[in-house]
Amino acid sequence: MRSATAHKIYENDNRFEVKSAGTDKTANTVLTSELLNWADSVVVMEKHHRNHIREHFPDIYKNKKIVCLYIPDDYDYMQTELIVLLKDRVEDVYNRKLI
């Protein structure tokens, strides 16, 4: 729900063009090499997501900017606390020019 929430709150933000995918087989949209190649930068929620990309897409991992927000899977879709946390973390990495 974290990625889906981030997608929803940033889908109309002119600074970003966003797509959302998950690393789990049960995700609504499963991460693919096509999605990774499409992205200029990749934002993941936890370190194990970045590790998943490194393990399953090593050539892309070496050449792609990947930023981890370190947000645990403790929130529901569009939960207020999640929205605040996402905005704080995304704005921080954006202002530091990491994405």
Side-chain angles (χ1 to χ4, degrees):
M1 298 292 92
R2 297 163 293 178
S3 292
T5 299
H7 184 207
K8 184 67 176 172
I9 63 178
Y10 285 103
E11 67 185 346
N12 294 314
D13 188 315
N14 292 332
R15 299 173 297 170
F16 307 110
E17 191 173 340
V18 297
K19 292 186 180 181
S20 175
T23 58
D24 191 272
K25 294 182 257 188
T26 63
N28 287 338
T29 302
V30 177
L31 187 64
T32 63
S33 59
E34 291 78 20
L35 284 170
L36 288 168
N37 284 320
W38 169 85
D40 293 327
S41 299
V42 177
V43 177
V44 298
M45 299 297 164
E46 295 183 77
K47 189 175 180 180
H48 73 87
H49 298 130
R50 186 175 52 217
N51 292 340
H52 177 90
I53 295 169
R54 185 181 68 233
E55 292 169 20
H56 292 87
F57 308 97
D59 292 335
I60 296 171
Y61 178 83
K62 288 184 230 172
N63 299 302
K64 191 67 62 173
K65 184 184 290 190
I66 301 173
V67 176
C68 185
L69 299 180
Y70 300 100
I71 298 176
D73 193 11
D74 297 336
Y75 303 94
D76 293 322
Y77 177 68
M78 297 302 288
Q79 185 175 335
T80 302
E81 295 85 357
L82 176 57
I83 292 169
V84 169
L85 187 56
L86 280 166
K87 286 183 176 182
D88 285 347
R89 301 267 171 95
V90 169
E91 293 305 319
D92 180 54
V93 296
Y94 178 77
N95 289 330
R96 292 189 295 142
K97 309 281 190 240
L98 298 176
I99 56 173

